[in-house]
Structures are given as C-alpha cells and as structure tokens.
Amino acid sequence: MVENNNILETKGLTIQFGGLVAVDHIDMQIKRNSIMGLIGPNGSGKTTIFNMLTGLYVPTGGDFLFEGESMAKKTATQIARKGIARTFQASRLCLDLSILDNVFIGMHSKQNHWLGSAVFNRKALSAEVTQAHEKALYLLNTFNPELVEKSGRPAGSLAQIDRRRVEICRAMAMEPKLLLLDEPSAGMIPEEIATLMEDIQKIKSESKDITIVIVEHVMAVIKMITEHVFVINFGKKIAEGSYAEVSKDPEVISAYLGKHGAV
Amino acid sequence: MTEIGKHKLSGPLGVLAVLLLEAVLFFAVMAIFLIEGGWVLIAEIVVGVAILILLNRIPGIKTGLKAAFTAHKTIAIIGALVLLLLPPFLLVKSAYWLFVLINAVMFIIACLGLNLQLGSTGMMNLAGAAFMAFGAYTAGLLSLNAGWPSWATLLAGMLVTGLFSIILFIPVLKTKGHYLALVTIAFQFMVVILVENVEFTGGPQGLKNIPYLTFFGYSFNEAINLGFITLHKYANYYYFVLLLAIVVALVCYRIYRSWVGVTVATIRDDEVAARTNGVRINYWKLVIFVLGNCFIGLSGAFFAHLIGFISPPNFVFDRSLVMVSIVILGGMDNVFGIILGSILLITLPEKLRFIQEYRFLIYGLLLIIMLIFKPKGLIPFVPRDYKDLLTKAKSKLTAPAAKNAGGEQNG
C-alpha cells in the first residue's frame, strides 16, 4: 500500500565519514508524481543524500526503497538503470563532446552497443542514431529552441543556464521515474531563475510519471514549485511539511531561514 | 561563404577538389620518404604543418571540402586506394625507405589500438611495447615450434595478447590517471625482464629465423615482377600491412562513430556522469582495454614475421613512449591524427640520421614545439555533430508528428 503511494522511501539513511556523521538517520517519504523540496543550510548534507540516492556514496546505515525495492547496496549504474536520474550542482557535462552526445549518454541503457553491431551493422545503428537524434532535438527544443541549432557544438561553448538545461535534457533522456535536481539555480541571475522554474514545470508536463526532488537555496523556487519540503540541518531532518508550514517552524527559522532574517 | 563553398564543391568541381586534396596529401607524405636532403625535409614538414594549421583556421574551406567528400564518396575512396598502391613503385630504388614505411604503417595499427584506450577512453597504457612483445613472441614461437601457417600465427598473436591483457586488468580497474600509468610502466618492465630470463623465449638472444609470411602458397619473400618493373619483396609486406591497417582503421572509425564511441568518451571525460547515466564502466574499460591490446598484439605479430628476428631490446619502454607520443601528438581520439602521427614520428628519426647524435635533440625539440602550438595534437578530436541528420530531424520538430514522437518517449 505504502509502495503504491511513495516512489521513494528512506529509512534511517545514514552515512559516516570517519568520525563525522554527515547524514544521520533520515526518514523521508517521496510521493509519486510530486515535486518535493530538500532544503537546509550549506553543508547540512543535502547533496550527500543525493549522492547516496544515486549510488555514488554507499550508506553506512539505514536503507532506501525505490518502488519498494531496497537500493542501498546497489551501484550507481544499477540505480540509474532502475530510473533515478539527477543533475549536479556544478554541472557535469562532458565539455569537449557535442551537446547531442551529452544527451545521447542519457539514453545509454536503451542503446544497442554491442561492438559487433557498432562495426558491422551500420544500417541498424544509423536507424537508431536517427531516432535518438530526433528525440534529443525534441528535448532540447522543449527547453530552449536555440539549442537545436547549436546541437552539434561542444557543450563547453554554452552559457551556464543552457548547460543546466542540457543536463536536464540528459536526465530526461533516461526517461526517469525520479529526477533529483541538485541546486539547479546555482550561479544564475534572477531572470534566469524565473525561466528555470518554467523549465521545471515543463519537465512535469512533458512526462506523466515523474517525481522530482529539488535541492535549492533560492526560497522563491521552493515556495513556487514544491508541494512538500524536507528541512535538513547538520545531517538531521528537523522539519517537514508544506513550505508555508516549515517556514513558520521556529527550529527551521533559527537554523536556516532566521539567518537570512526573512521568510 | 560556407554556403558558396558547399554548392560549388558538390558539383564536378568537387571531384577535382577531392582528388587534388588526396593527391596533395599523399605526395606531401611521400615527399618525406623521397626527399634526400635532411634540412629540405625539415622545411617541408614545417611548411606542411603550417598549411594544415592554416586550413583548420578557415571554416569555409573545411566545410566545403567535407561536403565535397560526402558528395563524391566512391570517387574519393577509389582515388585514395589507387594512391595507396603507389609507394612501392615510388620507392622502387630504396628498399630501406619502403621498410621504414612498412614500419610506420605497422605502428598505425598498434597506435590505433592504443588510441582506443588512451585517446577514446582515457586509460593510460605505457606498456604498449610489452603487449607488442606478446603478439610478436606468440607468432614467432607458434611458427617456429609448431609450424603454424601465417594467418593462424597472426590471429593467435592478436588473441593471445588480448588474453594476457586481462592479467593487467584488475590493477587497470582499481587505478586511474597517474597511478594507472605507473602500473603499466611496472608491467612493461616485468614483461621485458621475463622475456629476457625465460628459456623458451630464447632469453637475450631472442628468436631467430622466424619464417616470412606465406599465405596459401604465396610467399612474401619473393620480389614482384610486373614485367615493366620489379618491386622489392617488401612490397608484399607493404600491401599486406596496408590492408590490415585499413581494416583496423575502419573498425576504429566505426567505433568512434557509434554509441560505443559516445559511451567511452563520456567515461574519459567524466566517470561520475557516466555512472549516473547507467554506464557499466568496468565492462567498457575491459572491452576497450582488451580490444586495443589485440590490435597492438596484431602489429607485434606482423613485426615478428617482417623482421624474422625478435629479441627483448625490440620491446623496451622507449617503444611504449613512442607509441604514447604518437597518440598524443597525432590527436587523441582521432583516427586520422593517429595515422599522420605514426608516419611522422616513425619516419622522422630515420630521416634525421644525417645529423647523427643530434637527431634525438632535434626530434625532441620538434615534439616540444608541436605540443606548444598544437596541444591537442596535429588533427584533434572532432566532436560528433550529427550535422547530416539535422535538417531532416528539424523538419520533424515543426511537423505535427513531433507531438507523437514526444508522446512515445514519455509513455
């Protein structure tokens, strides 16, 4: 019953680096088809949680269930193939490769890359490439039509906001069920943040079955698009609820919002 | 300007442009072998490299020629093949330089293998010569002791090298970057010491009298008499190694143009990004490492039959360094760069013999100059831009069918 409602559940998720407990017994329920926020001051462990959820770090304690299946012991590759995609705070595109190649890698698990067919079966490959190309252009066109013309250029030639968009396209190319956005507004000016919010809405409208968890420092973004927020401080969950609720929570205000002096 | 170039060069003028470019490239390379005076040669290379760099700077010429090559693909291929048949005729008076050319083509095969590892996937392999030794000794021992036919020894040399590279595989998986470089250097030295001290490899004396290549009764040890001209016996080896190199280059180019190329390039540039996109990093590293070493082993096996005598000094660390320099200077992850790099770096030291001891000084100097002005290699990596698909795919974007495509992908 729970599994039907929650796409992801963490149960006492913990990671310890030497003596430091970076994430301490976090319990979260992520509702299917929702947009959830994950907030907290710098260094509170948000990205570390994402790194565990995508298998880059192995939790030292606890577990997390994705669609009811225990994932804590799985590798990053296996988790990605189950349908969890992510973007990174400092975008991790391959800057020397073309924008298209960067999007294509998102489709990796669906591609036929047996060496024999790469070398001998050119027809099947070129049909597959044509199809992938159309899909990639469709995604790029959704987020910024200008990217279609630029699609052959190296990703390194793009401005920050477009790099983030290409990263979102790469994640979307995976057709994920759960998308983790790690501080998508990092390094953006206010106008760009406004378009970023539109982009996130587009992700929702593009896919019928997608759940988004977003780590963000810009409260306007969280306020606008999330329905439920988890607040983390020093690796512990200190509050959860709608943005309106948590922003009134005295502990949250003292830990985080209070520092900025405003709600 | 680009557009004009494109239209003009896809017509009959394009045929001329294609053939002319091929001929110029070919004779520029052949001039390295034909020119006698050393300083003239250095001047030629400097001018050639300068022209190459200049051509790269003018976008109109590049796209125009590219369009011409796509429009006249068959003619371009036939033209190139005809030109490639010529060297034994041009070098009919100097068997030595034909031999050097064969050596260079042999290194193309090995370095294309190394390029798969180092250039495409970012795995440093400083044990290239050691893997060449596996191929050479396998071919040598099998033909000497077991009397295997040439095709079988070449195949075995290739496969045994691939098999032995699995030994090195656990350290290859566990280490990265500089540490991987150190591991492969250690392996390189271990192999040479082993070959020197084990009895069945002939120790420091090596293997003598390895039979020349013979394919189904056709012996490579005889000169080719065409009536009007008699080609040296090396011509056999040249055409054969050329055939091997074309096949290997084709395989490598197709890998570069496939999903495999995209996948390993992502591993090279960002392993974390690759993993979070579901790439099985270890699997791909294994495949590429073994495949690359297979090609290196093949070239080693050919080497054994070409020389007829192999010993440990043929496979020392210096050779590995030469191979790595070819990949870095020619152009990482670019098949054409590797081809050019092999020819230049194998031929130059021979050509520079006229300055005797100073030749490695000049050679080193040339390398440094090239690295300063072309840090990404003579013919650098070209991002796959899929330009040929763009127009058609764009028209689909605006057509109503685009909505369906979107629906499918979300479903």
Side-chain angles (χ1 to χ4, degrees), chain A residues 166-178:
Chain A
V166 172
E167 230 189 335
I168 290 174
C169 287
R170 178 173 75 185
M172 290 296 288
M174 268 175 73
E175 296 174 18
K177 292 178 194 139
L178 177 65

Side-chain angles (χ1 to χ4, degrees), chain B residues 202-214:
Chain B
Q205 266 81 45
L207 297 178
K208 288 184 203 70
N209 301 323
I210 298 167
Y212 38 81
L213 289 172
T214 306

Side-chain angles (χ1 to χ4, degrees), chain A residues 91-103:
Chain A
S91 91
R92 295 197 86 119
L93 293 174
C94 301
L95 299 182
D96 287 339
L97 302 186
S98 64
I99 294 166
L100 278 168
D101 271 357
N102 273 291
V103 179

Side-chain angles (χ1 to χ4, degrees), chain A residues 77 80-81 92 98 101 104-105 108 111 113 115 118-119 122 128 133-134 137-138 149 152 170 175 206, chain B residues 254 258-259 262-263 266 270 276-280 284 287 381 384-386 393-394 396-397 409-410:
Chain A
T77 306
R81 282 164 182 252
R92 295 197 86 119
S98 64
D101 271 357
F104 285 160
I105 203 66
H108 178 84
Q111 291 158 350
H113 22 52
L115 256 184
V119 175
R122 298 300 286 176
E128 212 185 317
H133 185 260
E134 278 163 18
L137 285 190
Y138 174 81
E149 280 304 324
R170 178 173 75 185
E175 296 174 18
E206 276 306 305
Chain B
R254 287 188 165 187
S258 74
W259 293 140
V262 178
T263 303
T266 308
D270 194 333
T276 52
N277 282 289
V279 175
R280 293 190 180 99
W284 283 112
V287 168
F381 169 71
R384 286 160 279 253
D385 60 10
Y386 308 94
K394 245 175 28 191
K396 282 209 172 174
L397 271 183
Q409 133 222 325
N410 297 326

Side-chain angles (χ1 to χ4, degrees), chain B residues 139 142-143 148-159 212-217 240 244 298 301 305:
Chain B
L142 283 177
S143 54
W148 282 29
S150 299
W151 64 267
T153 55
L154 288 174
L155 198 68
M158 187 166 129
L159 297 179
Y212 38 81
L213 289 172
T214 306
F215 288 98
F216 310 107
F240 181 67
L244 287 183
L298 174 66
H305 287 291

Side-chain angles (χ1 to χ4, degrees), chain B residues 89 225-230:
Chain B
F89 295 90
N225 194 347
L226 291 174
F228 63 99
I229 197 167
T230 306

Side-chain angles (χ1 to χ4, degrees), chain A residues 22-35:
Chain A
V23 173
D24 194 0
H25 292 89
I26 296 278
D27 292 312
M28 293 193 296
Q29 284 82 40
I30 311 285
K31 231 170 65 200
R32 196 180 281 274
N33 286 328
S34 60
I35 301 183

